[in-house]
Amino acid sequence: MNPGDRVRVDRADRTYEGVLLPSSTDEQLVVKLEGGYNVGVDRDEADVAVLAEDVYEIDGTDATGDDAGSEIEFDDDLPTISLISTGGTIASTVDYRTGAVTAQFDAEDVLRAVPDLAGRANYRGRVVANILSENMEPPIWQDLARAVREEIEAGADGVVVMHGTDTMQYSASALSFMLETPVPIVFTGSQRSADRPSSDNVMNAVSAVEAAKSDCAEVVVCMHATESDDRCALHRGTRVRKNHTSRRDAFETVGAAPLGEVDYETETVEFRREYRERGETDLEIAPDLEGDVELLKFTPGMDPAFLDVVEGSDGLILEGTGLGHVHTDLIPRLEELIADGTTVVMTSQCLEGRVCDRVYDTGRDLLEAGVVEAGDTLPGTAKVKLMWALENSDDVEEAMGTSLAGEIQERSVPWA
């Protein structure tokens, strides 16, 4: 039997029928069922009958998962897109021994897993990390920024970064501050792994490549715009937020419409807001980050002693209530931290609007204590920005109040 054969697998009191897929281990059989899901079965415990041979063409692998090799042909008439993998669901598979989703594909595996990418561009692939995004750390952001720079210097017309969705907004923010780019840098991922019928990996990957070929030379996030397979939204990297745990359209631009959309059926990219155009700026990198920055959400009843944990830190982002408030009992301790050299920046827990500590007495007391306002910068973006500003700006307070990569909007008004 070979991958692509239709098989019947009997194991104990269960019978499965479907198409045999390549397996990453000799001990496991992987069968795609009629409903679209994959099932893994211990080879030694299964009786297998081949019902039909070669009903589905699967190139490049055999039943044990040994790679027969794949060549990517270059077409001089097509742009070159660099695919950079950091792991995550879009570059993941299922470990059928445990049932867990594991990030173990490299960029070439993604090309084989998403054949719809063929013919759209010439591709170069490299792996910067192979992690689930909850394990992302600032040093990997720095490695990623350097890798993107090297790919652009080598002639890439656009870059697609495959990334887990949980922390994608942080990584997109980091590259927005660390890189000045003359070409598009597009983050994409998937909410559901490739073995699920409702997986969003193909449409997101295809749309990301189309966005990387566009004229928008910014760091953007490309993910489903709706629950349907109709279009992907393009979100500015410093204004995007994951607002749902599992929906395919989990990502939203906060406080504005997305920069644009990719129509999956027509394969067209349209923009609805101003953006920096391809070639408008030269390639530059400023990858230094100060890692000793914390993000703290204020809640009613918080003990001022809780701030002791950040004593000695270089920076602290506060998520205050409303216009940017905390309990008045916290203000003396914040003033002590600031006097000792900690930069304290105020953001709001509200999803819309900006901080303004000049309206109420509490806000005025915070400003007098030395707290810095961050406008309508999203709290997660503010943390990344402060990490960058502490290492790259001569005036951190001014930098946190200035829009450097589209993170602060001129006006905060609902758009939807």
Side-chain angles (χ1 to χ4, degrees):
M1 61 181 175
N2 295 296
D5 293 348
R6 180 171 297 280
V7 297
R8 182 177 63 245
V9 179
D10 294 309
R11 178 183 178 274
D13 59 345
R14 301 293 298 273
T15 298
Y16 306 99
E17 288 191 12
V19 176
L20 184 67
L21 298 180
S23 175
S24 58
T25 69
D26 294 334
E27 294 80 18
Q28 300 287 320
L29 294 172
V30 182
V31 178
K32 179 168 286 294
L33 306 179
E34 292 293 338
Y37 284 92
N38 297 350
V39 62
V41 180
D42 289 338
R43 188 183 295 266
D44 292 340
E45 299 178 5
D47 293 323
V48 184
V50 176
L51 304 180
E53 295 182 350
D54 299 327
V55 298
Y56 191 87
E57 183 177 354
I58 299 178
D59 296 326
T61 56
D62 61 25
T64 63
D66 294 331
D67 192 348
S70 63
E71 296 184 0
I72 303 173
E73 296 183 358
F74 276 74
D75 185 334
D76 291 338
D77 295 328
L78 293 176
T80 296
I81 302 298
S82 175
L83 302 178
I84 298 181
S85 176
T86 66
T89 304
I90 195 169
S92 70
T93 186
V94 175
D95 184 341
Y96 291 98
R97 294 167 295 178
T98 65
V101 175
T102 60
Q104 62 184 41
F105 281 175
D106 63 21
E108 289 190 355
D109 290 318
V110 174
L111 285 178
R112 289 193 291 269
V114 187
D116 288 16
L117 292 176
R120 299 176 184 275
N122 300 312
Y123 298 105
R124 279 205 307 267
R126 70 188 288 175
V127 178
V128 169
N130 196 10
I131 61 172
L132 298 173
S133 73
E134 58 265 32
N135 297 324
M136 183 59 66
E137 296 181 352
I140 302 178
W141 294 339
Q142 295 172 309
D143 292 342
L144 180 58
R146 294 186 182 102
V148 169
R149 177 192 61 181
E150 291 170 3
E151 291 299 311
I152 296 173
E153 288 177 336
D157 297 299
V159 178
V160 173
V161 179
M162 293 167 288
H163 195 291
T165 60
D166 280 2
T167 60
M168 186 188 295
Q169 64 203 51
Y170 292 92
S171 298
S173 289
L175 263 64
S176 297
F177 295 117
M178 290 193 284
L179 286 168
E180 293 285 341
T181 176
V183 304
I185 301 172
V186 185
F187 279 76
T188 194
S190 62
Q191 287 284 82
R192 301 170 188 176
S193 56
D195 68 309
R196 298 181 61 180
S198 60
S199 178
D200 50 342
N201 70 327
V202 172
M203 186 174 120
N204 290 348
V206 168
S207 297
V209 167
E210 294 300 323
K213 293 158 53 180
S214 76
D215 194 43
C216 177
E218 295 193 24
V219 177
V220 299
V221 168
C222 177
M223 295 289 290
H224 265 56
T226 71
E227 275 283 77
S228 301
D229 289 325
D230 52 1
R231 62 190 190 276
C232 278
L234 300 177
H235 309 280
R236 178 167 279 142
T238 55
R239 294 299 309 176
V240 66
R241 189 177 189 273
K242 184 177 181 179
N243 282 342
H244 197 281
T245 58
S246 59
R247 282 175 63 108
R248 300 195 300 176
D249 57 345
F251 284 79
E252 297 178 354
T253 294
V254 177
L259 277 181
E261 290 184 340
V262 181
D263 188 298
Y264 186 49
E265 182 176 351
T266 63
E267 301 179 357
T268 56
V269 184
E270 294 185 1
F271 293 94
R272 62 180 69 171
R273 295 167 55 204
E274 292 184 1
Y275 57 87
R276 188 169 55 204
E277 296 183 359
R278 179 184 290 273
E280 188 175 317
T281 185
D282 294 330
L283 177 64
E284 294 183 11
I285 184 171
D288 293 341
L289 297 172
E290 171 53 63
D292 193 12
V293 175
E294 301 298 335
L295 171 59
L296 177 64
K297 181 189 290 288
F298 164 73
T299 56
M302 180 180 291
D303 189 335
F306 193 81
L307 291 171
D308 293 346
V309 72
V310 297
E311 184 173 0
S313 295
D314 288 290
L316 171 64
I317 301 296
L318 281 174
E319 278 193 48
T321 59
L323 291 169
H325 299 147
V326 297
H327 196 291
T328 54
D329 288 349
L330 295 179
I331 296 177
R333 186 68 182 103
L334 290 172
E335 188 171 15
E336 292 175 358
L337 291 173
I338 293 168
D340 289 340
T342 300
T343 300
V344 179
V345 178
M346 181 64 72
T347 63
S348 177
Q349 298 173 16
C350 300
L351 292 182
E352 303 278 357
R354 64 188 60 232
V355 297
C356 182
D357 284 320
R358 294 168 178 81
V359 177
Y360 298 103
D361 288 342
T362 298
R364 293 176 179 271
D365 291 340
L366 285 165
L367 292 176
E368 187 175 341
V371 173
V372 178
E373 293 180 313
D376 67 343
T377 308
L378 304 180
T381 298
K383 174 178 178 175
V384 176
K385 181 180 180 179
L386 183 56
M387 295 171 69
W388 183 87
L390 285 167
E391 288 291 325
N392 295 278
S393 177
D394 294 330
D395 189 333
V396 174
E397 180 175 350
E398 181 181 2
M400 294 306 297
T402 303
S403 184
L404 304 179
E407 71 280 8
I408 301 177
Q409 301 181 111
E410 293 184 4
R411 296 183 63 200
S412 298
V413 294
W415 72 273

